[in-house]
Amino acid sequence: MALNKLPFTTFKNQQIRDITKGYKLEDIVPRQYGLNNYVIEDGDRPDTVSFFAYDTPNLAWLVLLPNVKLDPYFEWPLTTREFEQHMIAKYGSIAASQSEILFYEHQTKDITISVDTYNHAGFYSEITAGDYTGVTAYSYFDRVNDNKRHIKLVPPAVVDRVLTQLDRLFDG
């Protein structure tokens, strides 16, 4: 396996493979193969996505490779239960998070304004309060969490080619 060819590094007093040493996705998956869209389901982890997509949990690293901006520890989407626990911890209750307005969005334009600006809309001739909708903490953070669910995956049909290419690159 190509990962076995990576050098070791020390992390928290343990010897682990240094996955920061390697190649860009473009070096491994040629552009002509493209990437597939995938939506992470509630409770999925990189290894379960790998199992579903590639019939093995051992390619979890391949799930993460095209999604480098998605930190598997801090950016992976929360489950519904984890999300609700987070809202309770942050706002005291689900109801409080659903009533806390963070900002206002224009209903037809891509414009957001602060709560203070909205509350003083009478002072601004450009702002008509009826054109804006309040965005609650719950709905905003739910949107953020949902956006994390949309990832890209290496097509299953090219996984063998990807693994062969990795072997060649690491042997080189």
Side-chain angles (χ1 to χ4, degrees):
M1 173 80 124
L3 286 182
N4 295 337
K5 297 179 183 190
L6 289 173
F8 281 97
T9 188
T10 303
F11 178 74
K12 294 187 177 182
N13 296 321
Q14 288 187 330
Q15 289 290 307
I16 61 170
R17 296 288 177 179
D18 188 354
I19 62 171
T20 65
K21 303 290 185 213
Y23 295 88
K24 296 178 193 169
L25 179 65
E26 295 80 27
D27 296 331
I28 301 164
V29 183
R31 290 180 195 262
Q32 72 258 25
Y33 296 130
L35 295 171
N36 293 342
N37 293 321
Y38 185 85
V39 178
I40 299 169
E41 298 295 328
D42 199 34
D44 277 349
R45 301 180 315 265
D47 62 321
T48 58
V49 172
S50 170
F51 183 78
F52 177 76
Y54 308 123
D55 294 325
T56 176
N58 297 334
L59 295 175
W61 62 270
L62 191 57
V63 169
L64 297 171
L65 186 65
N67 302 291
V68 292
K69 293 181 182 175
L70 186 64
D71 180 328
Y73 296 105
F74 300 107
E75 292 293 319
W76 194 260
L78 299 174
T79 64
T80 302
R81 183 170 180 256
E82 291 168 337
F83 177 76
E84 289 180 351
Q85 288 174 337
H86 176 69
M87 290 293 99
I88 291 167
K90 189 168 178 103
Y91 293 96
S93 69
I94 298 294
S97 71
Q98 291 172 332
S99 62
E100 176 82 22
I101 303 288
L102 296 182
F103 57 90
Y104 288 83
E105 290 179 324
H106 195 278
Q107 293 176 6
T108 59
K109 300 174 185 171
D110 190 21
I111 300 172
T112 60
I113 59 173
S114 70
V115 173
D116 287 341
T117 301
Y118 181 84
N119 290 339
H120 295 92
F123 295 110
Y124 304 105
S125 61
E126 306 85 24
I127 298 175
T128 305
D131 292 342
Y132 289 84
T133 303
V135 177
T136 65
Y138 189 94
S139 63
Y140 171 73
F141 288 111
D142 188 45
R143 248 189 253 169
V144 169
N145 194 51
D146 189 54
N147 287 339
K148 294 175 186 176
R149 295 185 183 286
H150 302 273
I151 63 172
K152 299 285 187 180
L153 292 179
V154 171
V158 300
V159 168
D160 287 339
R161 290 183 197 158
V162 166
L163 296 176
T164 301
Q165 179 67 5
L166 276 173
D167 279 336
R168 281 191 203 125
L169 289 170
F170 289 130
D171 282 341

